[in-house]
């Protein structure tokens, strides 16, 4: 049986500068090389960083020759035209950005993005050959009111609704909103329950459901990563705050190594 390679993705959000990016990426590349020498390339998880758009060229140059990929934090559903402030998929591709986070709770909240818009973005990203990382998750109120399953089902089904039967490549990130940037984390058992549920939602839609990666996000850090990543349906992490520290991010990457063959 082939064991699925995990994906460790860093969402830098609106945190970057030329100097901090250079220090962070250089430390990640060096650290990942050292880990590769220790455990071998096949045992490493896939690693992705998602800097703010103005830094794509700088980060792409710093990543040259490494196995770390670069992602975007959002993208327009439109190809080009009069959409002030937006970024298109073709722009991402020009900068070798091959993953894109979609439906992050901060975009849903501060940019008023809804399920219908996110579903169009997922469709366009897939058509353009990129890998969308689709974020879903309940708020604290929704969890307390017993609505977690209904919210997850609505967000997952809607986000994937325009994709053809048997889609592959999509990554889903379970990010309970109450755990993002708060220091609160879903317990490994809570995360596993929701991840298994998400996989059960994918199963009728695609024969690739078992192979698709479902990431956990929400205050994942060096201390809790091992236990979360040990869950059978947790295929990696989407990491915010801890992705800004090379030592924390490398420690999370090391936790993912242990689970690979
Ligand atoms: C995120 O915003 O995707 C995230 C998981 O943030 P943090 O790790 O800081 O909770």
């Amino acid at each position: 049986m082939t064991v699925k390679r995990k994906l460790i993705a860093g969402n830098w959000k609106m945190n970057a500068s030329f100097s901090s990016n250079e220090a962070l990426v250089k430390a990640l590349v060096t650290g990942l090389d050292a880990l590769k020498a220790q455990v071998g390339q096949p045992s490493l998880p896939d690693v992705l960083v998602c800097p703010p758009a103005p830094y794509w060229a700088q980060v792409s140059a710093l990543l040259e020759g490494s196995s770390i990929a670069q992602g975007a934090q959002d993208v327009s559903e439109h190809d080009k035209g009069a959409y002030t402030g937006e970024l298109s998929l073709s722009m991402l591709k020009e900068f070798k950005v091959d993953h894109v986070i979609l439906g992050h709770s901060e975009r849903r909240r501060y940019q008023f993005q809804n399920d219908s818009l996110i579903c169009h973005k997922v469709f366009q990203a897939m058509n353009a050959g990129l890998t969308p990382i689709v974020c879903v998750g309940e708020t604290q109120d929704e969890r307390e009111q017993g609505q977690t399953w209904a919210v997850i089902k609505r967000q997952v089904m809607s986000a994937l609704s325009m994709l053809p039967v048997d889609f592959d490549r999509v990554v889903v990130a379970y990010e309970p909103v109450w755990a993002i940037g708060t220091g609160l984390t879903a317990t490994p058992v809570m995360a596993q329950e929701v991840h298994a549920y998400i996989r059960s939602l994918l199963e009728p839609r695609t024969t690739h459901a078992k192979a698709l990666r479902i990431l956990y996000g929400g205050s994942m850090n060096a201390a809790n990563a091992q236990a979360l990543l040990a869950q059978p349906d947790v295929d990696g992490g989407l990491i915010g705050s801890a992705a800004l520290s090379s030592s924390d991010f490398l420690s999370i990457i090391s936790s993912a190594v242990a689970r690979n063959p």
Side-chain angles (χ1 to χ4, degrees):
M1 196 184 85
T2 52
V3 178
K4 215 185 305 176
R5 190 186 277 271
K6 290 194 192 293
L7 171 62
I8 302 298
N11 173 11
W12 295 1
K13 310 192 184 189
M14 202 172 68
N15 300 294
S17 68
F18 284 127
S19 60
S20 65
N21 300 345
E22 184 170 343
L24 178 55
V25 175
K26 281 186 171 167
L28 290 180
V29 171
T30 309
L32 200 61
D33 275 352
L35 202 55
K36 182 163 82 178
Q38 237 178 294
V39 302
Q41 172 73 34
S43 296
L44 289 180
D46 290 330
V47 179
L48 173 74
V49 292
C50 303
Y55 297 100
W56 289 340
Q58 182 207 12
V59 172
S60 144
L62 288 165
L63 291 175
E64 193 75 48
S66 86
S67 59
I68 304 176
Q70 186 169 208
Q73 299 176 14
D74 199 355
V75 73
S76 171
E77 71 281 23
H78 300 292
D79 190 31
K80 61 175 167 176
Y83 300 101
T84 304
E86 294 280 33
L87 302 165
S88 73
L89 281 157
S90 45
M91 294 174 191
L92 269 61
K93 287 169 82 169
E94 285 205 310
F95 284 93
K96 298 187 195 149
V97 168
D98 53 12
H99 289 67
V100 57
I101 299 171
L102 295 173
H104 191 282
S105 61
E106 287 154 12
R107 303 297 287 170
R108 292 180 192 255
R109 180 170 177 199
Y110 301 124
Q111 267 65 42
F112 312 105
Q113 295 191 355
N114 59 26
D115 287 336
S116 155
L117 175 67
I118 292 158
C119 141
H120 280 87
K121 287 174 185 253
V122 172
F123 175 73
Q124 299 293 6
M126 284 290 275
N127 270 356
L130 275 84
T131 300
I133 301 178
V134 182
C135 300
V136 300
E138 79 287 2
T139 62
Q140 179 78 49
D141 277 0
E142 288 164 342
R143 179 160 276 268
E144 281 165 8
Q145 287 163 21
Q147 292 170 6
T148 299
W149 309 112
V151 170
I152 298 295
K153 183 173 186 180
R154 190 197 75 231
Q155 292 181 343
V156 170
M157 298 313 271
S158 165
L160 307 178
S161 60
M162 287 176 72
L163 297 185
V165 178
D166 227 22
F167 60 82
D168 58 5
R169 216 170 66 238
V170 170
V171 175
V172 179
Y174 170 52
E175 297 212 306
V177 179
W178 49 270
I180 295 180
T182 58
L184 300 171
T185 320
T187 63
V189 171
M190 280 158 89
Q192 169 56 27
E193 265 182 354
V194 178
H195 282 229
Y197 179 60
I198 292 172
R199 203 173 308 281
S200 78
L201 295 173
L202 302 179
E203 254 145 20
R205 297 283 327 278
T206 171
T207 57
H208 303 284
K210 282 196 173 54
L212 290 179
R213 292 186 287 195
I214 305 175
L215 313 184
Y216 171 78
S219 299
M220 186 184 268
N221 58 38
N224 60 29
Q226 185 93 44
L228 286 159
L229 293 168
Q231 299 302 308
D233 285 294
V234 177
D235 306 313
L238 179 54
I239 294 114
S241 323
L244 299 173
S245 148
S246 56
S247 59
D248 287 352
F249 198 56
L250 284 164
S251 164
I252 296 172
I253 293 169
S254 306
S255 303
V257 166
R259 305 292 304 166
N260 277 323

